[in-house]
């Protein structure tokens, strides 16, 4: 059977210029001059460290920071006295108006044994109570107290004026206990457990080392979850409060800074989040709510030319949210309802618009709807969506009848994005992925970047890269936290979640809208210049018919050999794309004929188009 000939583009387009290649591409892991240096390197020793590991050997206590002072003895009272001496361990603030964070002491299994503590966290209420009494009694002997529950992590602190030494606070991680305890304790310590994991076992030195690298890159210590860490970082780089001294009394008090995100339930009906009573009320009345979401399971029928191609190549956008959040204008102030709202693209808002009669590209998903289908009537849209429909498709903003406009619009996530982007790029640079790689070099490096072997720098970088990705994804999701598992009662949820400053669904809607529009703009420009158009999209993944199991044929370059701005490009930078999979077209056709979206096949095939098992490897029967 002969291979089908390459079909001409279905749509008229400018001719595609071939991609230039400069020699044989090779994988570059840390040996390339343009890769960033190890995160563990430092120009000079700091005065304080975010985390240290405490171990013990034949010659006594050992700390993984050589110049760090050690406890005087192995009794629990010796250890608590050491914790209360004002150790040079803390997380330094990153903003003048911010606050320092507690430093972290990571205990090894040997350290636990030397202190007379169990190797595993007790499992019964009685044994945990006995352990807690033992710890609190020893701490009280030097004027210190402990957080209320014994678990893998605890806080030890001394109040101002208490006997035994200065006011102090430090976080303790009983490293061997990570992954143990109640379900809540497992969840709140999940990030610590992953930072500590070496070959599946918790390691205190790895936890301290990776925590130091994390803090050096991000600016805050990992919180209980990636989502909460995202909010901790935002509060660190853009503090909501500062200390103000009263001129008459001389007393200091904490007050909101100008432009701070307000606390309290400030939700508006069309953008209150799925669980909010305001949303449920509108839905019961069959009235519209904002539905700015990522593209979800959009697909169109394959053309005969596409069916004739051997593969569906899946390209996935890297860090799509980070590609839009740095300069994105977001609503710091509450949204206020306006009738006859006047369109202003510089104002973050929700606008009541009707795009149902606006002609768009038929072969692309509709840019204004998450399902990619044309809207059936008016709806609520965030500013990025409306701006795109105005500039690219000729929507007349004078038709807008009402809106919810922010009272204070700012690039809220500028500093946040800068830190996360830099950390993301640094972690991947250590894995051989960095800006400026030509396409084939990037594909080779990405295919191998998880093969860290015994290289400790690479293992650390891969752990950090994974957590950083979860930070920005979870941080965006935190704006509309449903908290279904931890809080079942709606009234409690309204008080504990919605009343917080970081419950702002309209912020998430705006970010999602901006990321979806950026993806559509990229698909549209690629289509205009090459005639190549995806036949399916799901979230960040786009599916293109191709002659080879590679996205190289989808790329377009300028006469100077650079990627054409605004089109599909390969790379690790936020907004660029990676090769997720290549799926045999026969399998795609079979799935779509059965009514399934082809994204369900993505993890069943490798980038070479061959089937893979659940462990990501080619099944033995296929390999044979």
């Amino acid at each position: 059977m002969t291979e089908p000939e390459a079909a001409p583009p279905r749509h008229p387009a400018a001719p595609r210029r071939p991609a230039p290649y400069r020699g044989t591409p090779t994988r570059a892991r840390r040996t390339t001059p343009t890769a960033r240096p190890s995160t563990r390197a430092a120009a000079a020793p700091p005065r304080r460290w975010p985390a240290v590991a405490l171990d013990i050997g034949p010659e006594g206590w050992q700390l993984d920071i050589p110049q760090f002072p050690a406890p005087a003895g192995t009794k629990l009272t010796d250890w608590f006295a050491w914790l209360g001496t004002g150790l040079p361990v803390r997380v330094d603030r990153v903003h003048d108006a911010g606050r320092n964070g507690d430093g972290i002491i990571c205990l090894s299994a040997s350290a636990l044994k030397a202190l007379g503590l169990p190797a595993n966290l007790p499992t019964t209420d009685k044994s945990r109570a006995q352990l807690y009494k033992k710890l609190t009694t020893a701490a009280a002997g030097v004027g210190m107290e402990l957080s209320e529950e014994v678990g893998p992590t605890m806080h030890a602190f001394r109040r101002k004026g208490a006997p035994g030494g200065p006011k102090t606070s430090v976080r303790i991680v009983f490293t061997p206990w990570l992954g143990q305890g109640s379900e809540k304790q497992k969840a709140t310590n999940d990030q610590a457990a992953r930072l500590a994991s070496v070959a599946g076992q918790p390691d205190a030195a790895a936890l301290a080392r990776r925590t130091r690298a994390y803090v050096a890159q991000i600016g805050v210590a990992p919180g209980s979850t990636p989502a909460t860490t995202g909010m901790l970082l935002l509060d660190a780089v853009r503090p909501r409060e500062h200390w103000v001294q009263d001129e008459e009394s001389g007393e200091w008090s904490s007050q909101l800074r100008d432009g701070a995100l307000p606390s309290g339930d400030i939700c508006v009906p069309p953008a209150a989040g799925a669980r909010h009573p305001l949303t449920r009320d509108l839905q019961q009345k069959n009235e519209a709510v904002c539905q700015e979401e990522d593209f979800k399971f959009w697909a169109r029928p394959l053309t005969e030319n596409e069916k004739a191609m051997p593969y569906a190549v899946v390209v996935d956008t890297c860090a799509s949210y980070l590609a839009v959040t740095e300069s994105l204008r977001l609503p710091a102030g509450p949204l206020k309802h306006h009738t006859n709202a006047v369109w202003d693209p510089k104002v973050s808002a929700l606008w009541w618009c009707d795009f149902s009669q606006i002609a768009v590209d038929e072969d692309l998903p509709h840019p204004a709807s998450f399902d990619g289908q044309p809207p059936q009537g008016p709806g609520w849209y965030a500013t990025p969506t409306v701006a795109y429909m105005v500039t690219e498709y000729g929507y007349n903003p004078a038709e807008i009848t009402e809106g919810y406009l922010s009272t204070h619009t700012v690039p809220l996530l500028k500093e946040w994005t800068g830190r996360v982007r830099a950390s993301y790029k640094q972690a991947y640079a250590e894995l051989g992925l960095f800006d400026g790689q030509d396409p084939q070099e990037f594909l080779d490096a990405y295919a191998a970047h998880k093969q860290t072997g015994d290289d400790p720098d690479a293992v650390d970088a891969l752990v950090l890269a994974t957590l950083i990705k979860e930070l920005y994804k979870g941080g965006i999701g935190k704006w509309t936290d449903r908290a279904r598992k931890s809080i079942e009662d709606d009234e409690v949820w309204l008080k504990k979640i919605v009343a917080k400053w970081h419950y702002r669904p309209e912020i998430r809607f705006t970010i999602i809208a901006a990321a979806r529009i950026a993806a559509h703009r990229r698909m549209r420009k690629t289509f205009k210049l090459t005639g190549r158009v995806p036949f399916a999209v799901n979230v960040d993944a786009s599916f293109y018919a191709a002659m080879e199991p590679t996205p190289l044929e989808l790329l377009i370059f300028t006469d100077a050999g650079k990627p054409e701005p605004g089109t599909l490009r390969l790379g690790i930078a936020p907004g660029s794309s990676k090769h997720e999979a290549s799926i045999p077209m026969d399998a795609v056709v079979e799935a779509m004929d059965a009514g399934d979206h082809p994204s369900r096949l993505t993890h069943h095939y490798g980038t070479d188009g061959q089937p893979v098992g659940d462990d990501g490897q080619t099944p033995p029967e296929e390999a044979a």
Side-chain angles (χ1 to χ4, degrees):
M1 180 177 178
T2 59
E3 294 185 357
E5 296 181 356
R10 178 185 172 195
H11 310 278
R16 181 168 80 79
R17 292 181 285 277
Y21 293 103
R22 300 180 293 276
T24 302
T26 57
R27 180 183 178 214
R29 182 198 294 276
R30 290 168 298 285
T31 56
T32 176
T34 51
R36 291 180 181 267
S38 169
T39 56
R40 294 162 61 184
R47 292 185 298 114
R48 291 176 292 267
W49 293 266
V52 294
L54 180 64
D55 197 3
I56 197 166
E59 299 180 1
W61 289 114
Q62 299 172 345
L63 291 113
D64 67 336
I65 300 294
Q67 58 269 49
F68 203 91
T74 57
K75 296 180 180 179
L76 270 178
T77 50
D78 295 330
W79 181 60
F80 277 113
W82 172 72
L83 292 176
T85 56
L87 297 173
V89 56
R90 78 175 189 187
V91 178
D92 288 320
R93 62 188 180 186
V94 297
H95 189 284
D96 289 342
R99 299 179 180 180
N100 299 319
D102 287 347
I104 303 170
I105 304 294
C106 310
L107 276 70
S108 70
S110 297
L112 289 181
K113 183 177 181 180
L115 292 169
L117 298 176
N120 295 294
L121 182 64
T123 57
T124 66
D125 292 342
K126 181 179 179 180
S127 57
R128 282 196 297 269
Q130 292 174 339
L131 175 59
Y132 186 69
K133 183 177 180 180
K134 178 179 181 179
L135 290 168
T136 53
T137 301
V142 293
M144 296 193 72
E145 302 174 54
L146 296 177
S147 49
E148 295 182 356
E149 183 182 43
V150 64
T153 60
M154 299 183 71
H155 278 85
F157 58 95
R158 183 188 290 120
R159 301 178 191 273
K160 184 178 181 180
K167 177 182 178 181
T168 189
S169 179
V170 65
R171 181 182 172 194
I172 307 162
V173 181
F174 302 96
T175 310
W177 298 353
L178 290 170
Q180 302 177 23
S182 66
E183 290 303 314
K184 181 179 179 181
Q185 288 176 327
K186 291 177 183 178
T188 55
N189 293 298
D190 178 66
Q191 285 201 105
R194 292 161 67 185
L195 283 166
S197 179
V198 175
Q201 297 298 318
D203 181 85
L207 174 59
R209 181 178 69 247
R210 292 168 183 171
T211 299
R212 290 194 294 268
Y214 190 99
V215 173
Q217 293 182 32
I218 295 293
V220 296
S224 59
T225 66
T228 56
T229 307
M231 292 303 157
L232 289 172
L233 176 59
L234 181 57
D235 201 26
V237 299
R238 190 185 176 90
R240 297 178 60 252
E241 300 176 341
H242 61 170
W243 288 94
V244 177
Q245 187 176 27
D246 186 271
E247 294 182 358
E248 294 182 2
S249 67
E251 295 184 356
W252 291 87
S253 62
S254 181
Q255 297 183 10
L256 285 179
R257 300 173 70 223
D258 290 341
L261 292 168
S263 296
D265 186 349
I266 59 172
C267 291
V268 295
R275 185 174 177 177
H276 201 285
L278 288 174
T279 302
R280 293 177 179 175
D281 183 57
L282 286 181
Q283 290 175 333
Q284 288 173 358
K285 296 176 181 177
N286 202 29
E287 295 183 18
V289 296
C290 184
Q291 299 188 61
E292 296 279 27
E293 297 289 346
D294 292 305
F295 286 124
K296 300 283 180 67
F297 298 110
W298 173 84
R300 58 167 174 79
L302 289 158
T303 66
E304 292 304 316
N305 286 341
E306 288 169 332
K307 290 181 180 180
M309 295 188 185
Y311 298 99
V313 169
V314 187
V315 288
D316 189 81
T317 305
C318 298
S320 60
Y321 300 153
L322 289 184
V324 300
T325 50
E326 186 164 26
S327 60
L328 183 63
R329 299 178 66 80
L330 293 165
L335 301 184
K336 298 296 183 182
H337 184 250
H338 292 257
T339 55
N340 299 317
V342 178
W343 165 246
D344 185 347
K346 294 182 179 179
V347 174
S348 186
L350 298 174
W351 311 88
W352 183 251
C353 303
D354 189 351
F355 299 139
S356 60
Q357 303 304 313
I358 302 297
V360 297
D361 304 277
E362 294 183 357
D363 293 298
L364 289 172
H366 195 288
S369 62
F370 72 88
D371 61 4
Q373 302 303 316
Q376 298 302 304
W380 292 104
Y381 298 94
T383 298
T385 299
V386 181
Y388 188 64
M389 296 300 294
V390 169
T391 58
E392 299 298 320
Y393 293 104
Y395 174 72
N396 182 7
E399 297 178 8
I400 295 174
T401 57
E402 60 178 312
Y404 285 87
L405 279 58
S406 171
T407 58
H408 187 52
T409 299
V410 293
L412 183 65
L413 297 180
K414 181 177 180 179
E415 299 87 356
W416 184 89
T417 303
R419 286 208 168 243
V420 179
R421 279 177 66 112
S423 304
Y424 166 92
K425 293 173 74 172
Q426 183 171 344
Y428 277 108
E430 287 210 25
L431 297 168
L433 296 158
F434 47 89
D435 290 343
Q437 290 176 302
D438 80 22
Q440 187 61 59
E441 181 183 7
F442 166 74
L443 291 175
D444 293 342
Y446 191 83
H449 83 281
K450 293 184 180 179
Q451 299 170 14
T452 57
D454 297 326
D455 183 344
D457 284 345
V459 173
D460 287 359
L462 186 59
V463 171
L464 292 176
T466 302
L467 291 180
I468 291 166
K469 287 171 64 177
E470 293 181 7
L471 185 157
Y472 66 76
K473 289 182 178 180
I476 301 306
K478 187 69 173 175
W479 294 113
T480 183
D481 187 0
R482 297 186 185 185
R484 286 187 170 180
K485 291 183 179 180
S486 59
I487 300 177
E488 296 296 336
D489 183 80
D490 283 352
E491 292 301 319
V492 175
W493 176 76
L494 288 170
K495 293 178 181 178
K496 288 191 173 182
I497 301 297
V498 177
K500 301 293 186 181
W501 62 267
H502 45 70
Y503 186 82
R504 297 290 298 273
E506 75 278 10
I507 290 180
R508 177 183 173 275
F509 282 138
T510 304
I511 295 169
I512 298 292
R516 191 189 67 245
I517 292 302
H520 193 277
R521 190 186 303 275
R522 188 164 49 248
M523 288 186 287
R524 189 172 189 239
K525 187 167 184 180
T526 300
F527 162 48
K528 285 186 173 181
L529 294 178
T530 68
R532 305 297 286 269
V533 61
F535 62 84
V537 178
N538 186 36
V539 191
D540 294 332
S542 299
F543 293 69
Y544 286 86
M547 292 303 298
E548 300 292 338
T550 173
L552 294 178
E553 66 185 79
L554 305 173
L555 307 181
I556 183 170
F557 295 83
T558 66
D559 292 333
K562 301 292 184 181
E564 181 70 38
T567 62
L568 178 71
R569 63 185 300 171
L570 296 177
I572 198 61
S576 296
S577 296
K578 61 182 184 290
H579 185 192
E580 189 71 17
S582 293
I583 308 170
M585 188 58 76
D586 289 347
V588 169
V589 172
E590 181 179 355
M592 294 182 72
D593 285 347
D596 292 330
H597 193 272
S599 60
R600 301 184 187 280
L601 300 172
T602 300
H603 299 296
H604 295 177
Y605 292 90
T607 53
D608 59 358
Q610 297 300 311
V612 295
D614 292 337
D615 58 356
Q617 303 297 319
T618 302
E621 64 272 15
E622 297 291 342

